[in-house]
Amino acid sequence: MTEQCAQRARSRGQGLAEFALILPIVLFTIFVMIELARVLHAWIAVENGARFGVRYAVTGEYDDHYCTTLYGGPCDAQDERDGARLPSIRDAANSGAVGLLKDPTASVGTPGFFKVTICSTKPGLTYYPADSNTSTPADCLPMEDGGGPGDRVIVTVDFDHPLIAPILSSTWPQLHLTAKREGIVEQFRVARVVGLPSTMTIPTLTATVSSVTT
């Protein structure tokens, strides 16, 4: 009876030792799977943010609220309307990039950093694409611009996704995700006139004389 108890104790101890050895591997695998799912979700959200932003940018529309906020009244001048377009495009990009752990106070290269860059092909503007290797976001110098009718507009979304997996997060705290979308701005400042011919062709009626035989 004593020998059987000893065998059970040794078997129980062996099981605990094997469990202690395999538990870190199992937990690490689970955390890696969770992290991959989080990265996939963040990547889709960043892609959607850029897509939503450029779709709004090409329309030339803007939120009237920003006219009051920025200029104290309606946007009467074209420069004011162009200025109101920029935050409106950012709002559209933010609405597409939902579910991200954004940190408004985060600086470049830190977890939670989020930026929407708007640039166009107007002369004098230079677009600098994002660099994922150095976590450098995109930029437009000397200033951002939503473009005019017929211009190409570029909307870029950069996000430093915070990693939470143990061991991995201590050496690699964030992953830089970026997405860029381009589009041609519509002719929103030009009236659409349908060409009509100068004169309308009206058919002429000709009388036909029929002979009657008696």
Side-chain angles (χ1 to χ4, degrees):
M1 189 72 178
T2 306
E3 185 179 354
Q4 291 180 352
C5 292
Q7 289 179 352
R8 290 177 182 175
R10 285 195 299 269
S11 176
R12 190 177 297 116
Q14 181 181 358
L16 290 175
E18 293 175 351
F19 178 75
L21 290 175
I22 198 174
L23 179 61
I25 300 176
V26 172
L27 291 177
F28 182 77
T29 303
I30 293 175
F31 274 108
V32 168
M33 293 175 62
I34 294 174
E35 194 65 86
L36 290 176
R38 292 181 66 248
V39 170
L40 178 61
H41 170 267
W43 177 73
I44 293 175
V46 169
E47 291 282 337
N48 284 338
R51 189 179 299 111
F52 276 48
V54 79
R55 283 180 177 176
Y56 189 90
V58 298
T59 63
E61 297 180 359
Y62 57 90
D63 189 347
D64 294 332
H65 165 73
Y66 288 110
C67 295
T68 306
T69 304
L70 298 174
Y71 309 109
C75 294
D76 296 326
Q78 189 59 54
D79 292 342
E80 295 178 352
R81 289 190 285 270
D82 290 340
R85 287 181 60 210
L86 294 177
S88 302
I89 296 171
R90 290 193 182 92
D91 285 348
N94 272 283
S95 66
V98 294
L100 297 178
L101 296 177
K102 308 172 190 174
D103 184 0
T105 62
S107 57
V108 178
T110 57
F113 174 77
F114 182 83
K115 181 186 179 185
V116 178
T117 305
I118 307 164
C119 199
S120 70
T121 55
K122 283 184 179 179
L125 300 177
T126 304
Y127 172 75
Y128 296 91
D131 188 353
S132 299
N133 297 325
T134 60
S135 297
T136 303
D139 203 357
C140 184
L141 296 177
M143 62 181 180
E144 291 186 290
D145 183 76
D151 293 332
R152 181 178 295 273
V153 61
I154 306 170
V155 177
T156 308
V157 176
D158 290 283
F159 177 63
D160 288 326
H161 173 68
L163 302 178
I164 62 172
I167 302 175
L168 183 63
S169 59
S170 59
T171 57
W172 196 5
Q174 77 275 343
L175 176 65
H176 186 80
L177 303 175
T178 182
K180 182 183 74 170
R181 288 292 182 273
E182 301 182 15
I184 304 298
V185 182
E186 298 174 359
Q187 302 291 333
F188 61 91
R189 297 177 190 166
V190 181
R192 298 181 179 178
V193 179
V194 179
L196 296 175
S198 55
T199 57
M200 298 293 294
T201 305
I202 301 176
T204 56
L205 300 177
T206 348
T208 304
V209 180
S210 56
S211 57
V212 179
T213 307
T214 59

